[in-house]
Amino acid sequence: RSLTSRRASREEPAVPFSCGQEYYFPCQRWLAVEEDDGQIARELVPVDEAFVKKDSENDGQSPATLGLEQKAKSTTYTVKVKTGDKKNAGTDANVFIILYGSKDDTGIVSLKASKINKNKFERGKVDEFTVESVDIGDLKKIKIGHDNKGNSTGWFLEWVEIDAPSLGQCLKFPCGRWLDKSEDDGAVERIIFPAELQTVEYIPFVPYEITVYTSDIFGAGTDADVFIVLYGSDGICTQQKSLCLNKREQRMYFERNSVNQFIVELEDVGDIIEKIRIGHNGGGVNSGWHLDRVTIRRLLPNGK
């Protein structure tokens, strides 16, 4: 999700920008308990591009840039899986899922790392996974199953819930059946359709390209959990969103004199970003952070 990337200076008009234009948010201050005014979050307002120092390094298409452009064309699904509360309902087998849309399908996706539980697919528990895919269109059905390997393979699947921010939909796929060679009909994979009455609709999210510049001064980098909030006109704002997925990424990014670029799906705040709030949780060994600036671009649906 997060990659170090290229220069972020373009010849574009001053604020206010229209859809797809770039916003410049200078900071040049500490976000640190023991520095400056002790604040670890700041609200920044956009300025004219001329204020921002031009960068001459990193011209051209780096592998990181190409990776981000690929990500901008993809969408992220949050998949929640509920194992039933029955005797021997959990499984040690390897579980997979395929999402089928109106345009395409994801292919087989292994559900390996639950964001909630270290031991996944245990009795009565809900596990959460992130699935990234190219745009498959409206979600029509799923196939979920396992490879029947391990000591205790039989699995009672209660339901699957899929949140698709780019569609503005959270869909529930009820199952309530065994995926077990010795139970029910003996099937270890099932095709499930969404329960229309349980579908939750909301305003679709849009991808934003967020580029963060950490200053080139001693101790500028941070290992803390950095978050951002975007504010549009009429009081519209996004949820608070962490830019790193995990602690490993927190250690990798926001180093001194680094440029880190992220593609983040957030609520659409409209054509004008009036301000942002960026900060961190103060965690990690070296939490103090000197932020130089942030640039943000709301990506157009056609990827241009």
Side-chain angles (χ1 to χ4, degrees), residues 29-32 35 212-226 250-258 260 280 283-292:
R29 291 184 70 179
W30 283 101
L31 286 81
E35 300 283 354
V212 180
Y213 296 77
T214 299
S215 303
D216 186 14
I217 65 173
F218 179 76
T222 185
D223 293 332
D225 183 15
V226 173
Q250 289 172 30
R251 290 192 296 270
M252 285 175 59
Y253 301 115
F254 312 117
E255 297 292 304
R256 174 179 174 174
N257 195 31
S258 67
N260 300 115
H280 61 78
V285 178
N286 302 301
S287 64
W289 183 34
H290 198 283
L291 172 63
D292 183 69

Side-chain angles (χ1 to χ4, degrees), residues 69 97 114 117 150-151 190 213 229 251 259 265:
E69 288 177 354
I97 193 169
S114 171
N117 305 304
N151 294 325
R190 298 196 181 282
Y213 296 77
V229 182
R251 290 192 296 270
V259 182
E265 287 180 323

Side-chain angles (χ1 to χ4, degrees), residues 287-302:
S287 64
W289 183 34
H290 198 283
L291 172 63
D292 183 69
R293 66 191 189 274
V294 179
T295 66
I296 298 179
R297 199 158 57 100
R298 176 170 171 262
L299 299 176
L300 294 162
N302 61 10

Side-chain angles (χ1 to χ4, degrees), residues 2-304:
S2 320
L3 294 156
T4 301
S5 191
R6 61 198 187 282
R7 61 184 284 196
S9 50
R10 296 181 174 84
E11 297 303 323
E12 291 178 352
V15 180
F17 300 94
S18 63
C19 180
Q21 302 290 315
E22 194 151 27
Y23 291 74
Y24 300 86
F25 298 87
C27 181
Q28 296 169 356
R29 291 184 70 179
W30 283 101
L31 286 81
V33 173
E34 297 175 357
E35 300 283 354
D36 203 334
D37 58 0
Q39 298 300 310
I40 59 173
R42 299 195 182 281
E43 290 192 351
L44 309 177
V45 294
V47 301
D48 189 296
E49 180 200 4
F51 183 90
V52 181
K53 183 184 75 175
K54 298 290 187 289
D55 286 316
S56 58
E57 75 277 4
N58 294 335
D59 275 333
Q61 296 263 308
S62 69
T65 302
L66 295 172
L68 279 164
E69 288 177 354
Q70 188 66 37
K71 173 155 182 43
K73 295 173 184 174
S74 70
T75 189
T76 301
Y77 302 92
T78 297
V79 179
K80 291 184 178 178
V81 180
K82 171 71 185 293
T83 299
D85 191 7
K86 291 177 177 284
K87 185 180 179 182
N88 299 324
T91 185
D92 295 328
N94 298 303
V95 174
F96 70 87
I97 193 169
I98 305 172
L99 279 53
Y100 295 90
S102 54
K103 298 179 186 174
D104 202 350
D105 65 73
T106 61
I108 293 174
V109 178
S110 297
L111 299 180
K112 288 184 177 177
S114 171
K115 290 189 162 186
I116 300 175
N117 305 304
K118 189 171 183 181
N119 293 323
K120 55 192 183 294
F121 309 123
E122 295 289 306
R123 174 178 174 173
K125 296 291 181 69
V126 175
D127 291 289
E128 182 179 317
F129 305 88
T130 298
V131 173
E132 207 171 89
S133 167
V134 295
D135 180 20
I136 61 171
D138 293 334
L139 207 47
K140 297 296 185 185
K141 64 182 180 180
I142 62 171
K143 179 188 281 187
I144 189 165
H146 61 78
D147 61 2
N148 204 45
K149 291 181 180 176
N151 294 325
S152 127
T153 58
W155 184 34
F156 190 89
L157 172 61
E158 196 71 57
W159 49 256
V160 177
E161 182 182 276
I162 299 179
D163 189 9
S166 62
L167 300 175
Q169 286 187 328
C170 186
L171 300 99
K172 196 75 162 275
F173 295 80
C175 180
R177 294 183 69 178
W178 286 97
L179 285 77
D180 188 337
K181 292 230 170 188
S182 58
E183 297 278 357
D184 203 332
D185 59 359
V188 294
E189 57 182 53
R190 298 196 181 282
I191 290 174
I192 314 173
F193 294 88
E196 288 185 20
L197 294 177
Q198 294 184 58
T199 298
V200 177
E201 305 267 355
Y202 57 92
I203 297 171
F205 284 25
V206 295
Y208 288 89
E209 177 191 87
I210 300 172
T211 309
V212 180
Y213 296 77
T214 299
S215 303
D216 186 14
I217 65 173
F218 179 76
T222 185
D223 293 332
D225 183 15
V226 173
F227 65 81
I228 196 165
V229 182
L230 277 50
Y231 295 84
S233 53
D234 301 321
I236 300 170
C237 71
T238 68
Q239 63 185 324
Q240 182 171 303
K241 179 77 172 180
S242 293
L243 293 179
C244 291
L245 289 175
N246 50 48
K247 284 188 165 45
R248 185 185 65 82
E249 288 194 354
Q250 289 172 30
R251 290 192 296 270
M252 285 175 59
Y253 301 115
F254 312 117
E255 297 292 304
R256 174 179 174 174
N257 195 31
S258 67
V259 182
N260 300 115
Q261 195 166 64
F262 307 85
I263 304 292
V264 182
E265 287 180 323
L266 294 168
E267 295 92 338
D268 190 355
V269 298
D271 291 348
I272 296 174
I273 303 174
E274 293 200 338
K275 66 178 180 180
I276 64 172
R277 180 175 174 81
I278 189 165
H280 61 78
N281 67 347
V285 178
N286 302 301
S287 64
W289 183 34
H290 198 283
L291 172 63
D292 183 69
R293 66 191 189 274
V294 179
T295 66
I296 298 179
R297 199 158 57 100
R298 176 170 171 262
L299 299 176
L300 294 162
N302 61 10
K304 291 183 180 177

